[in-house]
Amino acid sequence: MAIKRSASISLLLSVLIVLLSAGFLQGQTQSPPKQFVDRQFQLDLNPTLNVSTDHARTVALLFGQQEHVVNFTSRPDLAKRAPFNFEYAKCKGESLWRMVQDAFNGQRQAGPDFTQNDFDNGWTKTAITGGLGGLPVGWDPAFQTFANNRVPTSTELHHLRALQDKSFKNRNGNTVQSPSRGEYQLYYAPSHKAMLARNVESPTYRRKSQGYPPAAIQDAIPPLHRLSDVSWYTYSRLSNSPGDLRYIGHHFISNDDSNLIIDQLLRNTPNIGWPGLTLDINTNEAKALLGTPNGVGVAWLMMDRARVLGRRRPKVHIWNKNSFRCMLWDLAPA
């Protein structure tokens, strides 16, 4: 009996030691392991992760003090949508900016050259008239800065509404009867080396909102579908020297992720007009704006058209006058 009691006491002591070493019975819980201190990203670098590819191309994984940026162009298996915040946007923007610099150095293939047939494939193009005939509210001071204190004349300013409202042939040549209803409203002023987006709902965005699974979207949109390609195609045909394009703006931004970053950066000056807050691309704040949905298209345009545009060093202006959030990228020659 004494031997059994001694064995029971020894077993109990062993259990107590294990519990104490694990941090229990001390009113404390263990700190998360350093390799999983991820500041809201909750991902690891396990290449066997079975996660969705429907999201942005990059995300920061922060392990302790070390930052790992995963490029989802080469790692689609890790393409999981992390919570959108400043850190996420900054790391995405950093990756995009590196890709832009690679394009400037001739290390990326140029974007596709689309034709009128591509733009006729499922798209209806109309001129914007009536109340939208001039520049949007608040943009006159910006355009005056572009060209010796004057705004574009009625003959210098071009308007386009591109609506994906017809059946089309997809990338595989198959006919898709149901249009995405994607829409772009764009202003072009080659005289001021500028273009401006007023309404941006890409075919990809529309298909997502219609419930298409990520893997099916590319076969449910026309080959010409990105804002960067639609806007460049039109500008390059309106301008006698498209390589001089310098200013790309977004008016009345309604995207929640973009507005989250803009509002955070303008928190001390919430009702500010042009020129607003000006940031160089080498700042974390500018990189975060490049990583927003309203900045990504600018990055892709610089990447895809680097051979025509040449090397640039962008800066970005953001302002929010009377709840009209705006963003302007100045692609200054480097």
Side-chain angles (χ1 to χ4, degrees):
M1 177 68 69
I3 294 175
K4 289 184 178 179
R5 184 175 301 169
S6 176
S8 299
I9 292 173
S10 298
L11 178 60
L12 179 60
L13 288 173
S14 298
V15 171
L16 287 172
I17 290 171
V18 170
L19 291 174
L20 288 169
S21 64
F24 296 96
L25 304 184
Q26 297 180 20
Q28 300 175 357
T29 57
Q30 276 189 302
S31 299
K34 288 184 178 180
Q35 68 270 22
F36 205 68
V37 177
D38 61 359
R39 301 205 340 227
Q40 299 186 23
F41 293 108
Q42 302 293 322
L43 294 174
D44 61 29
L45 289 175
N46 181 355
T48 63
L49 280 177
N50 181 20
V51 295
S52 169
T53 58
D54 176 28
H55 94 101
R57 295 173 179 273
T58 58
V59 66
L61 306 177
L62 304 176
F63 296 133
Q65 299 300 315
Q66 185 177 4
E67 181 177 290
H68 303 266
V69 178
V70 180
N71 186 331
F72 288 123
T73 301
S74 59
R75 292 299 301 277
D77 55 309
L78 294 180
K80 180 177 175 61
R81 179 64 153 89
F84 197 93
N85 55 23
F86 182 88
E87 192 69 29
Y88 177 94
K90 176 180 73 73
C91 293
K92 181 178 178 181
E94 286 175 341
S95 181
L96 287 168
W97 180 234
R98 284 195 295 270
M99 294 164 69
V100 171
Q101 291 174 303
D102 287 344
F104 290 158
N105 293 328
Q107 298 172 359
R108 289 185 63 86
Q109 186 175 356
D113 290 323
F114 291 101
T115 67
Q116 185 63 47
N117 288 337
D118 295 311
F119 213 173
D120 290 338
N121 181 27
W123 291 91
T124 296
K125 288 85 63 182
T126 55
I128 301 175
T129 58
L132 300 179
L135 285 171
V137 174
W139 280 88
D140 281 8
F143 274 73
Q144 288 170 345
T145 304
F146 305 161
N148 298 322
N149 201 35
R150 70 179 188 87
V151 297
T153 66
S154 58
T155 57
E156 291 174 329
L157 187 63
H158 306 269
H159 312 270
L160 173 72
R161 181 191 185 212
L163 179 63
Q164 206 283 288
D165 63 342
K166 298 184 293 187
S167 62
F168 59 90
K169 291 188 179 298
N170 66 11
R171 60 180 180 175
N172 300 317
N174 299 322
T175 299
V176 178
Q177 294 294 341
S178 173
S180 68
R181 304 295 299 181
E183 180 181 353
Y184 298 122
Q185 290 186 17
L186 305 166
Y187 296 73
Y188 300 94
S191 59
H192 289 59
K193 304 176 183 178
M195 60 185 179
L196 174 63
R198 182 183 181 276
N199 187 54
V200 175
E201 289 189 344
S202 70
T204 300
Y205 169 82
R206 294 292 298 166
R207 288 307 196 202
K208 288 179 182 178
S209 68
Q210 293 160 9
Y212 278 66
I217 287 178
Q218 288 302 311
D219 289 333
I221 56 178
L224 176 59
H225 61 90
R226 294 190 307 178
L227 172 63
S228 58
D229 290 328
V230 171
S231 58
W232 174 258
Y233 172 83
T234 308
Y235 185 87
S236 65
R237 280 148 183 81
L238 290 171
S239 173
N240 293 325
S241 53
D244 290 342
L245 173 65
R246 177 162 175 175
Y247 305 103
I248 302 176
H250 284 268
H251 172 67
F252 198 12
I253 295 171
S254 59
N255 182 275
D256 290 339
D257 289 343
S258 296
N259 286 337
L260 176 72
I261 305 303
I262 292 173
D263 289 348
Q264 182 175 345
L265 295 178
L266 295 180
R267 61 188 178 276
N268 295 325
T269 53
N271 189 32
I272 185 174
W274 171 263
L277 178 64
T278 305
L279 301 161
D280 183 86
I281 190 58
N282 288 326
T283 64
N284 290 335
E285 292 81 3
K287 291 188 177 80
L289 290 166
L290 192 68
T292 65
N294 289 85
V296 169
V298 178
W300 278 105
L301 191 147
M302 287 191 288
M303 273 186 264
D304 288 343
R305 311 303 163 189
R307 296 178 186 178
V308 180
L309 295 172
R311 189 178 298 274
R312 303 297 181 95
R313 178 171 174 168
K315 60 182 177 181
V316 59
H317 300 265
I318 52 172
W319 64 98
N320 182 15
K321 191 67 173 177
N322 300 324
S323 299
F324 282 80
R325 297 177 182 87
C326 299
M327 180 186 301
L328 173 78
W329 290 90
D330 178 355
L331 310 184

Short mmCIF file of all heavy atoms in Angstrom, two decimals, residues 183-230:
data_model
loop_
_atom_site.label_atom_id
_atom_site.label_comp_id
_atom_site.label_asym_id
_atom_site.label_seq_id
_atom_site.Cartn_x
_atom_site.Cartn_y
_atom_site.Cartn_z
N GLU A 183 -17.38 49.02 -65.24
CA GLU A 183 -17.52 50.37 -65.80
C GLU A 183 -16.36 51.26 -65.39
O GLU A 183 -15.93 51.24 -64.23
CB GLU A 183 -18.83 51.02 -65.34
CG GLU A 183 -19.05 52.42 -65.88
CD GLU A 183 -20.34 53.04 -65.39
OE1 GLU A 183 -21.13 52.34 -64.72
OE2 GLU A 183 -20.56 54.24 -65.66
N TYR A 184 -15.85 52.02 -66.35
CA TYR A 184 -14.84 53.04 -66.09
C TYR A 184 -15.33 54.38 -66.67
O TYR A 184 -15.78 54.43 -67.82
CB TYR A 184 -13.51 52.70 -66.76
CG TYR A 184 -12.87 51.41 -66.28
CD1 TYR A 184 -12.57 50.38 -67.18
CD2 TYR A 184 -12.56 51.22 -64.94
CE1 TYR A 184 -11.97 49.21 -66.76
CE2 TYR A 184 -11.97 50.04 -64.50
CZ TYR A 184 -11.67 49.04 -65.41
OH TYR A 184 -11.09 47.89 -64.99
N GLN A 185 -15.24 55.44 -65.87
CA GLN A 185 -15.46 56.79 -66.38
C GLN A 185 -14.14 57.54 -66.24
O GLN A 185 -13.61 57.70 -65.14
CB GLN A 185 -16.57 57.50 -65.59
CG GLN A 185 -17.95 56.91 -65.86
CD GLN A 185 -19.05 57.71 -65.20
OE1 GLN A 185 -18.86 58.85 -64.80
NE2 GLN A 185 -20.22 57.10 -65.08
N LEU A 186 -13.63 57.99 -67.37
CA LEU A 186 -12.26 58.51 -67.43
C LEU A 186 -12.21 59.86 -68.13
O LEU A 186 -12.96 60.11 -69.08
CB LEU A 186 -11.36 57.52 -68.17
CG LEU A 186 -11.34 56.09 -67.61
CD1 LEU A 186 -10.71 55.13 -68.61
CD2 LEU A 186 -10.62 56.05 -66.28
N TYR A 187 -11.33 60.71 -67.65
CA TYR A 187 -11.06 62.01 -68.26
C TYR A 187 -9.62 62.00 -68.78
O TYR A 187 -8.72 61.51 -68.10
CB TYR A 187 -11.17 63.14 -67.22
CG TYR A 187 -12.53 63.34 -66.63
CD1 TYR A 187 -13.04 62.45 -65.70
CD2 TYR A 187 -13.30 64.45 -66.97
CE1 TYR A 187 -14.29 62.65 -65.13
CE2 TYR A 187 -14.54 64.67 -66.41
CZ TYR A 187 -15.03 63.75 -65.48
OH TYR A 187 -16.26 63.95 -64.93
N TYR A 188 -9.44 62.55 -69.97
CA TYR A 188 -8.11 62.62 -70.56
C TYR A 188 -7.81 64.05 -70.99
O TYR A 188 -8.64 64.71 -71.62
CB TYR A 188 -8.01 61.72 -71.80
CG TYR A 188 -8.26 60.25 -71.53
CD1 TYR A 188 -9.53 59.70 -71.69
CD2 TYR A 188 -7.22 59.42 -71.11
CE1 TYR A 188 -9.76 58.36 -71.44
CE2 TYR A 188 -7.45 58.08 -70.86
CZ TYR A 188 -8.72 57.55 -71.03
OH TYR A 188 -8.94 56.23 -70.78
N ALA A 189 -6.62 64.52 -70.63
CA ALA A 189 -6.17 65.84 -71.06
C ALA A 189 -4.71 65.73 -71.49
O ALA A 189 -3.80 66.05 -70.72
CB ALA A 189 -6.32 66.87 -69.94
N PRO A 190 -4.46 65.24 -72.71
CA PRO A 190 -3.07 65.14 -73.18
C PRO A 190 -2.34 66.48 -73.15
O PRO A 190 -1.12 66.51 -72.97
CB PRO A 190 -3.23 64.61 -74.61
CG PRO A 190 -4.53 63.88 -74.60
CD PRO A 190 -5.41 64.67 -73.68
N SER A 191 -3.09 67.58 -73.31
CA SER A 191 -2.46 68.90 -73.24
C SER A 191 -1.83 69.16 -71.88
O SER A 191 -0.88 69.93 -71.76
CB SER A 191 -3.52 69.98 -73.51
OG SER A 191 -4.57 69.89 -72.54
N HIS A 192 -2.34 68.49 -70.85
CA HIS A 192 -1.83 68.64 -69.50
C HIS A 192 -1.09 67.38 -69.03
O HIS A 192 -0.76 67.26 -67.85
CB HIS A 192 -2.98 68.94 -68.54
CG HIS A 192 -3.56 70.31 -68.69
ND1 HIS A 192 -4.10 70.78 -69.87
CD2 HIS A 192 -3.69 71.33 -67.79
CE1 HIS A 192 -4.54 72.01 -69.70
NE2 HIS A 192 -4.29 72.37 -68.45
N LYS A 193 -0.88 66.43 -69.95
CA LYS A 193 -0.19 65.18 -69.64
C LYS A 193 -0.88 64.43 -68.49
O LYS A 193 -0.23 63.86 -67.61
CB LYS A 193 1.29 65.43 -69.28
CG LYS A 193 2.05 66.19 -70.35
CD LYS A 193 3.47 66.49 -69.91
CE LYS A 193 4.20 67.32 -70.97
NZ LYS A 193 5.58 67.67 -70.56
N ALA A 194 -2.20 64.44 -68.53
CA ALA A 194 -2.96 63.96 -67.39
C ALA A 194 -4.14 63.10 -67.80
O ALA A 194 -4.72 63.27 -68.88
CB ALA A 194 -3.46 65.15 -66.56
N MET A 195 -4.49 62.17 -66.92
CA MET A 195 -5.76 61.46 -67.02
C MET A 195 -6.30 61.23 -65.62
O MET A 195 -5.56 61.18 -64.64
CB MET A 195 -5.62 60.15 -67.79
CG MET A 195 -4.67 59.13 -67.24
SD MET A 195 -4.59 57.74 -68.41
CE MET A 195 -3.40 56.69 -67.58
N LEU A 196 -7.63 61.11 -65.55
CA LEU A 196 -8.32 61.11 -64.27
C LEU A 196 -9.46 60.11 -64.32
O LEU A 196 -10.25 60.09 -65.26
CB LEU A 196 -8.85 62.53 -64.01
CG LEU A 196 -9.74 62.78 -62.80
CD1 LEU A 196 -8.98 62.50 -61.51
CD2 LEU A 196 -10.25 64.23 -62.83
N ALA A 197 -9.53 59.27 -63.29
CA ALA A 197 -10.62 58.29 -63.18
C ALA A 197 -11.66 58.80 -62.20
O ALA A 197 -11.33 59.20 -61.08
CB ALA A 197 -10.07 56.95 -62.70
N ARG A 198 -12.90 58.80 -62.65
CA ARG A 198 -14.00 59.26 -61.79
C ARG A 198 -14.78 58.10 -61.22
O ARG A 198 -15.25 58.14 -60.10
CB ARG A 198 -14.93 60.18 -62.58
CG ARG A 198 -16.07 60.74 -61.74
CD ARG A 198 -17.02 61.59 -62.55
NE ARG A 198 -18.08 62.15 -61.73
CZ ARG A 198 -19.19 61.51 -61.41
NH1 ARG A 198 -19.40 60.30 -61.88
NH2 ARG A 198 -20.10 62.10 -60.64
N ASN A 199 -14.96 57.05 -61.98
CA ASN A 199 -15.70 55.89 -61.51
C ASN A 199 -14.96 54.64 -61.95
O ASN A 199 -14.64 54.49 -63.13
CB ASN A 199 -17.12 55.88 -62.08
CG ASN A 199 -17.97 54.78 -61.48
OD1 ASN A 199 -18.10 54.69 -60.26
ND2 ASN A 199 -18.54 53.92 -62.31
N VAL A 200 -14.65 53.77 -61.01
CA VAL A 200 -13.85 52.59 -61.31
C VAL A 200 -14.53 51.36 -60.72
O VAL A 200 -14.56 51.17 -59.50
CB VAL A 200 -12.42 52.71 -60.74
CG1 VAL A 200 -11.65 51.42 -60.98
CG2 VAL A 200 -11.70 53.89 -61.38
N GLU A 201 -15.12 50.54 -61.57
CA GLU A 201 -15.65 49.24 -61.17
C GLU A 201 -15.20 48.24 -62.23
O GLU A 201 -15.85 48.09 -63.27
CB GLU A 201 -17.17 49.27 -61.05
CG GLU A 201 -17.68 50.06 -59.85
CD GLU A 201 -19.17 49.88 -59.63
OE1 GLU A 201 -19.85 49.40 -60.56
OE2 GLU A 201 -19.64 50.22 -58.53
N SER A 202 -14.11 47.58 -61.98
CA SER A 202 -13.52 46.70 -62.98
C SER A 202 -14.39 45.47 -63.20
O SER A 202 -15.17 45.07 -62.31
CB SER A 202 -12.12 46.27 -62.55
OG SER A 202 -12.21 45.38 -61.44
N PRO A 203 -14.26 44.82 -64.36
CA PRO A 203 -14.96 43.55 -64.55
C PRO A 203 -14.62 42.51 -63.48
O PRO A 203 -15.49 41.75 -63.06
CB PRO A 203 -14.48 43.11 -65.94
CG PRO A 203 -14.22 44.40 -66.66
CD PRO A 203 -13.63 45.30 -65.61
N THR A 204 -13.36 42.48 -63.04
CA THR A 204 -12.98 41.55 -61.98
C THR A 204 -13.75 41.84 -60.70
O THR A 204 -14.29 40.93 -60.05
CB THR A 204 -11.48 41.64 -61.71
OG1 THR A 204 -10.76 41.30 -62.91
CG2 THR A 204 -11.06 40.69 -60.60
N TYR A 205 -13.82 43.12 -60.31
CA TYR A 205 -14.55 43.51 -59.11
C TYR A 205 -16.03 43.12 -59.24
O TYR A 205 -16.64 42.60 -58.30
CB TYR A 205 -14.41 45.01 -58.90
CG TYR A 205 -15.33 45.57 -57.84
CD1 TYR A 205 -15.00 45.49 -56.49
CD2 TYR A 205 -16.54 46.17 -58.20
CE1 TYR A 205 -15.85 45.99 -55.52
CE2 TYR A 205 -17.39 46.68 -57.24
CZ TYR A 205 -17.06 46.59 -55.90
OH TYR A 205 -17.90 47.09 -54.95
N ARG A 206 -16.60 43.37 -60.40
CA ARG A 206 -18.01 43.06 -60.59
C ARG A 206 -18.28 41.56 -60.51
O ARG A 206 -19.28 41.13 -59.92
CB ARG A 206 -18.49 43.61 -61.94
CG ARG A 206 -18.48 45.12 -62.04
CD ARG A 206 -19.52 45.75 -61.14
NE ARG A 206 -20.87 45.33 -61.54
CZ ARG A 206 -21.97 45.50 -60.80
NH1 ARG A 206 -21.86 46.06 -59.61
NH2 ARG A 206 -23.14 45.11 -61.24
N ARG A 207 -17.38 40.76 -61.10
CA ARG A 207 -17.57 39.30 -61.02
C ARG A 207 -17.48 38.82 -59.57
O ARG A 207 -18.23 37.93 -59.15
CB ARG A 207 -16.54 38.59 -61.89
CG ARG A 207 -16.76 38.71 -63.39
CD ARG A 207 -18.16 38.31 -63.81
NE ARG A 207 -18.26 38.07 -65.25
CZ ARG A 207 -19.39 38.11 -65.93
NH1 ARG A 207 -20.53 38.39 -65.32
NH2 ARG A 207 -19.40 37.88 -67.24
N LYS A 208 -16.57 39.40 -58.80
CA LYS A 208 -16.48 39.03 -57.39
C LYS A 208 -17.78 39.35 -56.67
O LYS A 208 -18.30 38.56 -55.88
CB LYS A 208 -15.32 39.76 -56.72
CG LYS A 208 -13.95 39.27 -57.13
CD LYS A 208 -12.87 40.08 -56.44
CE LYS A 208 -11.49 39.64 -56.86
NZ LYS A 208 -10.42 40.46 -56.21
N SER A 209 -18.32 40.54 -56.95
CA SER A 209 -19.56 40.95 -56.29
C SER A 209 -20.75 40.10 -56.74
O SER A 209 -21.75 40.00 -56.04
CB SER A 209 -19.84 42.43 -56.56
OG SER A 209 -20.15 42.66 -57.93
N GLN A 210 -20.64 39.47 -57.92
CA GLN A 210 -21.69 38.60 -58.42
C GLN A 210 -21.55 37.16 -57.91
O GLN A 210 -22.35 36.30 -58.26
CB GLN A 210 -21.68 38.62 -59.95
CG GLN A 210 -22.08 39.96 -60.55
CD GLN A 210 -21.61 40.13 -61.99
OE1 GLN A 210 -21.12 39.20 -62.63
NE2 GLN A 210 -21.76 41.35 -62.51
N GLY A 211 -20.52 36.92 -57.10
CA GLY A 211 -20.38 35.62 -56.47
C GLY A 211 -19.56 34.61 -57.24
O GLY A 211 -19.57 33.42 -56.90
N TYR A 212 -18.84 35.05 -58.27
CA TYR A 212 -18.02 34.11 -59.02
C TYR A 212 -16.87 33.62 -58.14
O TYR A 212 -16.22 34.43 -57.46
CB TYR A 212 -17.43 34.76 -60.26
CG TYR A 212 -18.38 34.81 -61.45
CD1 TYR A 212 -19.54 35.58 -61.41
CD2 TYR A 212 -18.11 34.09 -62.61
CE1 TYR A 212 -20.41 35.62 -62.48
CE2 TYR A 212 -18.97 34.13 -63.70
CZ TYR A 212 -20.12 34.90 -63.61
OH TYR A 212 -20.98 34.94 -64.70
N PRO A 213 -16.57 32.32 -58.15
CA PRO A 213 -15.40 31.83 -57.41
C PRO A 213 -14.12 32.37 -58.05
O PRO A 213 -14.08 32.59 -59.27
CB PRO A 213 -15.50 30.31 -57.53
CG PRO A 213 -16.36 30.07 -58.73
CD PRO A 213 -17.31 31.23 -58.82
N PRO A 214 -13.08 32.59 -57.27
CA PRO A 214 -11.85 33.19 -57.80
C PRO A 214 -11.29 32.47 -59.03
O PRO A 214 -10.85 33.11 -59.98
CB PRO A 214 -10.89 33.10 -56.62
CG PRO A 214 -11.77 33.11 -55.42
CD PRO A 214 -13.01 32.37 -55.81
N ALA A 215 -11.33 31.15 -59.02
CA ALA A 215 -10.73 30.39 -60.12
C ALA A 215 -11.49 30.57 -61.43
O ALA A 215 -10.94 30.30 -62.50
CB ALA A 215 -10.67 28.91 -59.76
N ALA A 216 -12.74 31.04 -61.36
CA ALA A 216 -13.56 31.16 -62.56
C ALA A 216 -13.56 32.57 -63.16
O ALA A 216 -14.05 32.76 -64.27
CB ALA A 216 -15.01 30.74 -62.25
N ILE A 217 -13.00 33.53 -62.44
CA ILE A 217 -13.15 34.93 -62.86
C ILE A 217 -12.43 35.22 -64.17
O ILE A 217 -12.97 35.89 -65.05
CB ILE A 217 -12.67 35.87 -61.74
CG1 ILE A 217 -13.68 35.88 -60.59
CG2 ILE A 217 -12.47 37.30 -62.27
CD1 ILE A 217 -13.29 36.73 -59.42
N GLN A 218 -11.21 34.73 -64.34
CA GLN A 218 -10.44 35.07 -65.54
C GLN A 218 -11.11 34.58 -66.82
O GLN A 218 -10.90 35.16 -67.89
CB GLN A 218 -9.02 34.50 -65.43
CG GLN A 218 -8.14 35.21 -64.43
CD GLN A 218 -8.01 36.69 -64.74
OE1 GLN A 218 -7.72 37.09 -65.87
NE2 GLN A 218 -8.21 37.53 -63.74
N ASP A 219 -11.91 33.53 -66.73
CA ASP A 219 -12.64 33.06 -67.90
C ASP A 219 -13.99 33.75 -68.06
O ASP A 219 -14.73 33.46 -69.01
CB ASP A 219 -12.85 31.54 -67.81
CG ASP A 219 -11.54 30.77 -68.01
OD1 ASP A 219 -10.64 31.31 -68.68
OD2 ASP A 219 -11.43 29.66 -67.47
N ALA A 220 -14.32 34.66 -67.13
CA ALA A 220 -15.62 35.34 -67.16
C ALA A 220 -15.47 36.83 -67.40
O ALA A 220 -16.42 37.59 -67.20
CB ALA A 220 -16.36 35.09 -65.85
N ILE A 221 -14.29 37.25 -67.86
CA ILE A 221 -14.04 38.66 -68.18
C ILE A 221 -13.31 38.74 -69.52
O ILE A 221 -12.63 37.79 -69.91
CB ILE A 221 -13.20 39.36 -67.07
CG1 ILE A 221 -11.89 38.61 -66.84
CG2 ILE A 221 -14.00 39.48 -65.78
CD1 ILE A 221 -10.99 39.25 -65.80
N PRO A 222 -13.44 39.85 -70.22
CA PRO A 222 -12.73 39.98 -71.50
C PRO A 222 -11.23 40.18 -71.27
O PRO A 222 -10.81 40.60 -70.18
CB PRO A 222 -13.36 41.22 -72.13
CG PRO A 222 -13.91 42.00 -70.99
CD PRO A 222 -14.31 41.02 -69.94
N PRO A 223 -10.40 39.88 -72.27
CA PRO A 223 -8.95 40.06 -72.11
C PRO A 223 -8.54 41.48 -71.75
O PRO A 223 -7.64 41.70 -70.94
CB PRO A 223 -8.39 39.64 -73.47
CG PRO A 223 -9.40 38.68 -74.01
CD PRO A 223 -10.73 39.21 -73.54
N LEU A 224 -9.20 42.47 -72.34
CA LEU A 224 -8.97 43.86 -71.97
C LEU A 224 -9.94 44.21 -70.85
O LEU A 224 -11.13 44.40 -71.07
CB LEU A 224 -9.19 44.79 -73.17
CG LEU A 224 -9.06 46.30 -72.90
CD1 LEU A 224 -7.69 46.66 -72.38
CD2 LEU A 224 -9.38 47.10 -74.16
N HIS A 225 -9.43 44.29 -69.63
CA HIS A 225 -10.33 44.49 -68.49
C HIS A 225 -9.74 45.36 -67.39
O HIS A 225 -10.47 45.93 -66.60
CB HIS A 225 -10.74 43.13 -67.89
CG HIS A 225 -9.57 42.33 -67.37
ND1 HIS A 225 -9.13 42.43 -66.08
CD2 HIS A 225 -8.76 41.44 -67.98
CE1 HIS A 225 -8.09 41.62 -65.90
NE2 HIS A 225 -7.84 41.01 -67.05
N ARG A 226 -8.42 45.47 -67.30
CA ARG A 226 -7.81 46.23 -66.21
C ARG A 226 -7.89 47.73 -66.48
O ARG A 226 -7.76 48.18 -67.62
CB ARG A 226 -6.35 45.84 -66.00
CG ARG A 226 -6.16 44.41 -65.52
CD ARG A 226 -4.73 44.15 -65.10
NE ARG A 226 -3.76 44.53 -66.12
CZ ARG A 226 -2.44 44.43 -65.97
NH1 ARG A 226 -1.94 43.99 -64.84
NH2 ARG A 226 -1.62 44.79 -66.95
N LEU A 227 -8.04 48.51 -65.41
CA LEU A 227 -8.06 49.97 -65.54
C LEU A 227 -6.79 50.48 -66.20
O LEU A 227 -6.83 51.36 -67.06
CB LEU A 227 -8.23 50.62 -64.17
CG LEU A 227 -8.08 52.14 -64.12
CD1 LEU A 227 -9.16 52.82 -64.95
CD2 LEU A 227 -8.11 52.63 -62.67
N SER A 228 -5.64 49.94 -65.81
CA SER A 228 -4.37 50.42 -66.36
C SER A 228 -4.31 50.23 -67.87
O SER A 228 -3.78 51.07 -68.60
CB SER A 228 -3.20 49.71 -65.68
OG SER A 228 -3.29 48.30 -65.83
N ASP A 229 -4.87 49.13 -68.37
CA ASP A 229 -4.83 48.86 -69.82
C ASP A 229 -5.87 49.69 -70.57
O ASP A 229 -5.59 50.22 -71.65
CB ASP A 229 -5.06 47.37 -70.08
CG ASP A 229 -3.88 46.51 -69.64
OD1 ASP A 229 -2.74 47.00 -69.70
OD2 ASP A 229 -4.12 45.37 -69.21
N VAL A 230 -7.09 49.79 -70.01
CA VAL A 230 -8.13 50.57 -70.66
C VAL A 230 -7.72 52.04 -70.74
O VAL A 230 -7.84 52.69 -71.79
CB VAL A 230 -9.47 50.43 -69.92
CG1 VAL A 230 -10.51 51.42 -70.46
CG2 VAL A 230 -10.00 49.00 -70.04
#
